[in-house]
Amino acid sequence: MRPFELTESKAWFPELPAQFRSDYRLGNYASDRITRVMWKYLMRPRNCERSWLRLHQHMPELLSGPPKDILELSTAHGSLLEILRWGGHRVTGTDCAWAVDGSTAQVKPPRRHWHFRLLERLRSVRHDHPMAESVQGWPYQPLIESLGLGVTLHDGGSIPYPFADKSQDYVICYQALEAYAPPERWVDIVDEMCRIARHAVVIGFNPLPLGMRSDGGTYRRFRDGWQRLMAYDRIGFQTRAFLVGKTRAGHHPTLCKLIAT
């Protein structure tokens, strides 16, 4: 969700609860571990605002009602899980140690004034949750540990997933499917999500980068993949919502929500 979308959307929904407006508590970690996270994702209030709005827009039914079992794939900074946990749900997540040499992971020292100020604030307070040995290539580990969330490391492109059949009410996956597999395999990945889910699967898409969108062959492959998910009707699940948004790259699918039939 881009900054202008966040600003415009906030006016239409309840304000983010106050407990999600504080910083991460990262005094337990050396600076070089913290700065492996992209600077924008070190701002907990902004992360939580995006997740708060996604819940209101895409899964408002989870804002009330009885507790549910919820799995988020590629949870990253964990803000969606921490809000769902606050709402009484039983949550778990996955992530992947993807930040290896040659990846797009940030490993940048502080350079700007606000970098230094943010780093000073984050390291001024310690958390009291259990800490595991540092996992190479998992930049979000300090954030997940500081929140006390349960996250399993698993490559989303590898099937089967380490979860039992129908063990979760909801399976959620934002902006990660494109990293799991090429468009030709998306249906296989979604089949696996539906195997695990009892009620719903929610998938958020990344927009195609401008360079890829201008490549006709690549764009057709992605468009075919989106259209297959738009028409998904398999193993007891159907697509019931398919949203399209707009960025500088043009219109593109943003969300697919499948419901058990």
Side-chain angles (χ1 to χ4, degrees), residues 150-201:
V151 171
T152 299
L153 293 184
H154 175 72
D155 177 2
S158 299
I159 294 175
Y161 289 179
F163 301 96
D165 294 359
K166 305 306 174 191
S167 58
Q168 305 291 324
D169 292 301
Y170 276 65
V171 175
I172 301 168
C173 180
Y174 275 100
Q175 297 178 321
L177 180 63
E178 299 89 348
Y180 291 169
E184 294 80 8
R185 285 194 57 222
W186 286 354
V187 167
D188 297 333
I189 301 294
V190 174
D191 283 350
E192 183 67 0
M193 297 179 189
C194 293
R195 175 188 68 79
I196 299 166
R198 291 192 288 263
H199 177 67
V201 171

Side-chain angles (χ1 to χ4, degrees), residues 113-128:
H113 290 304
W114 73 270
H115 289 170
F116 288 98
R117 292 195 300 269
L118 176 61
L119 189 58
E120 183 179 5
R121 291 203 315 270
L122 296 179
R123 298 204 64 221
S124 66
V125 183
R126 296 172 62 90
H127 69 79
D128 56 5

Side-chain angles (χ1 to χ4, degrees), residues 75-135:
T75 190
H77 44 69
S79 61
L80 183 63
L81 288 185
E82 68 165 317
I83 293 174
L84 288 166
R85 180 181 61 184
W86 167 77
H89 300 294
R90 298 174 292 271
V91 301
T92 189
T94 72
D95 208 345
C96 182
W98 52 269
V100 295
D101 291 343
S103 76
T104 57
Q106 167 180 295
V107 184
K108 296 179 180 178
R111 293 176 299 174
R112 302 178 182 179
H113 290 304
W114 73 270
H115 289 170
F116 288 98
R117 292 195 300 269
L118 176 61
L119 189 58
E120 183 179 5
R121 291 203 315 270
L122 296 179
R123 298 204 64 221
S124 66
V125 183
R126 296 172 62 90
H127 69 79
D128 56 5
H129 297 294
M131 295 171 57
E133 183 177 350
S134 176
V135 178

